[in-house]
Amino acid sequence: MTSAPYASRERSTKERILGAAEALFATHGFAGASLRQVTAAARVNLAAVNYHFGSKDKLIEEVFRRRLDELNTRRLAALAKVAGQEDTSLEDVLDAYIRPALDLSRNDGGGAAFVRVLARAYAEHNETLRKFLSENYGHVLRQFAGEFARLLPGLAKEEIYWRLDIVTGALTYAMADFGVIQRKNDVDERDHRETAAEHLIRFAAAGLRNPSVSTSTATR
Amino acid sequence: MTSAPYASRERSTKERILGAAEALFATHGFAGASLRQVTAAARVNLAAVNYHFGSKDKLIEEVFRRRLDELNTRRLAALAKVAGQEDTSLEDVLDAYIRPALDLSRNDGGGAAFVRVLARAYAEHNETLRKFLSENYGHVLRQFAGEFARLLPGLAKEEIYWRLDIVTGALTYAMADFGVIQRKNDVDERDHRETAAEHLIRFAAAGLRNPSVSTSTATR
DNA sequence: CGTATTCTCAAACGATCGTTTGATTCTTAC
DNA sequence: GTAAGAATCAAACGATCGTTTGAGAATACG
């Protein structure tokens, strides 16, 4: 049909591998999911992974690149709509940061799994992965930090990075549905994530607005 | 010397295994750290793990039980000092929740590693582990939720669990030092965690105090 | 058409995994 | 001192891991 060889399968071999890898990495982790599980789920030959991607590590990187590029683009696009304007609120910027991740998690079948994979990446101490994420994620974080600095002139730049770090951690945690609290069975997964995002935005906004204090113990 | 057989080593075989496992699980994850790595780091024989613990899964459970019991006890003790009193502030209760984890992370050599292991447990989807953690962690969370409910009469019980879930996620994230922001090299690890705890307490308090809103989109 | 290239496939590679075995060494108790 | 028990050890078990191989099937291109 198109130019793809061995074509006219429902999806190409590379895409099927990426989809299966994403789902299995989310469930069992990078070390816990084997290439035999991945290729079996994708209904492709075992050797296809090393043929199309070179190695398991390269496959992991490709799983990230596919979604992360889109997530970063959406976040920056949402930020561009509100950045620098007078009537922009803190909630608007936080929404630009959180909403794309929420949308990603419910658009197609694989997005929800990727959010969990993203949380894995933070938990894994893999230096290669950390470096890869920092390169693709760092400039987005920097742009958001710049806008937050504009809206929060009372906070030092370093303080903003601190708080943004907490927000990102809480976001990753909430989005990945790693809470101890298990949602009721009659509540849909979408509603669950939507509610989580609403709470998180209000929570984060209140935390970011909190005025900075001098270096002392937090209590008493 | 004492009653321990093969004794008068610096520490017993079981404790050496637990310590080495804790450190390696924190660095490489449960699936990523092998028993050969663990036993080599502990300078014990490979078969010692299955002899003393029965299996790798049982070893993982024991790594958690050792620290989690102490963490839960400290948290409940700290909560008991401020619970039910008139002049208790939200920051006090949050401090009772966060401070023990901070102390644990810097007391001895293994505590800091365990906090990272704890974060791993949230990331791992292992059902056995989740169940184990829920059993040892659930009643503590419930007691804190009760005290928060007293201090925040305007919030529904379910709303409090939501926000506490976010706090726990952010705490785990911050404590495990999983941020993208890397601290300056001249800042000590202890100061780093202390600063993180201060930020987190102020952040969480502001987020918890935020009045509840009706079910609508968070922004606009 | 025929040749070249791309892709798939079954099979096997060596390495490593968790676990088990059986002999050996140390400790305890009478 | 000696038997019973607990702990350690080297070695091997079968299973699974990521990766490689070489032949064969499907496609592309002249």
Side-chain angles (χ1 to χ4, degrees), chain A residues 21-218:
Chain A
E22 188 173 61
L24 285 168
F25 288 157
T27 309
H28 302 106
F30 303 111
S34 70
L35 292 186
R36 282 171 177 82
Q37 288 178 272
V38 170
T39 53
R43 281 174 292 114
V44 299
N45 189 270
L46 170 63
V49 169
N50 281 281
Y51 176 80
H52 287 286
F53 299 97
S55 67
K56 185 180 182 179
D57 284 339
K58 294 288 183 61
L59 169 63
I60 294 175
E61 282 192 10
E62 208 54 37
V63 166
F64 276 94
R65 194 185 310 275
R66 183 174 61 150
R67 309 268 185 198
L68 218 55
D69 290 348
E70 186 185 353
L71 178 63
N72 286 354
T73 301
R74 287 197 194 183
R75 274 181 166 164
L76 292 179
L79 177 62
K81 288 183 180 176
V82 297
Q85 295 185 4
E86 282 190 30
D87 61 340
T88 295
S89 70
L90 204 58
E91 282 83 358
D92 292 329
V93 183
L94 281 171
D95 193 78
Y97 191 68
I98 293 175
R99 190 69 51 180
L102 184 74
D103 293 340
L104 179 71
S105 73
R106 66 183 186 193
N107 264 351
D108 49 85
F114 177 70
V115 179
R116 280 190 277 266
V117 173
L118 203 55
R120 290 271 185 184
Y122 282 106
E124 299 273 345
H125 226 301
N126 190 317
E127 200 56 42
T128 309
L129 213 58
R130 292 272 296 229
K131 191 175 167 186
F132 175 83
L133 281 177
S134 180
E135 288 174 356
N136 288 18
Y137 209 66
H139 74 286
V140 177
L141 195 67
R142 241 172 284 127
Q143 281 208 223
F144 273 91
E147 183 63 16
F148 281 123
R150 184 180 73 89
L151 296 174
L152 300 165
L155 294 184
K157 201 70 178 251
E158 191 177 0
E159 178 94 8
I160 288 182
Y161 272 108
W162 263 116
R163 301 191 180 192
L164 259 189
D165 195 32
I166 296 177
V167 170
T168 304
L171 163 68
T172 304
Y173 177 82
M175 285 293 160
D177 192 21
F178 284 161
V180 179
I181 311 299
Q182 48 197 22
R183 64 183 180 280
K184 299 172 187 169
N185 286 338
D186 57 351
V187 178
D188 190 49
E189 170 102 8
R190 298 186 182 185
D191 295 340
H192 174 74
R193 292 179 186 277
E194 180 70 27
T195 306
E198 291 173 14
H199 281 86
L200 192 61
I201 288 174
R202 285 188 278 129
F203 188 89
L208 285 172
R209 280 206 186 88
N210 209 25
S212 180
V213 297
S214 61
T215 313
S216 64
T217 312

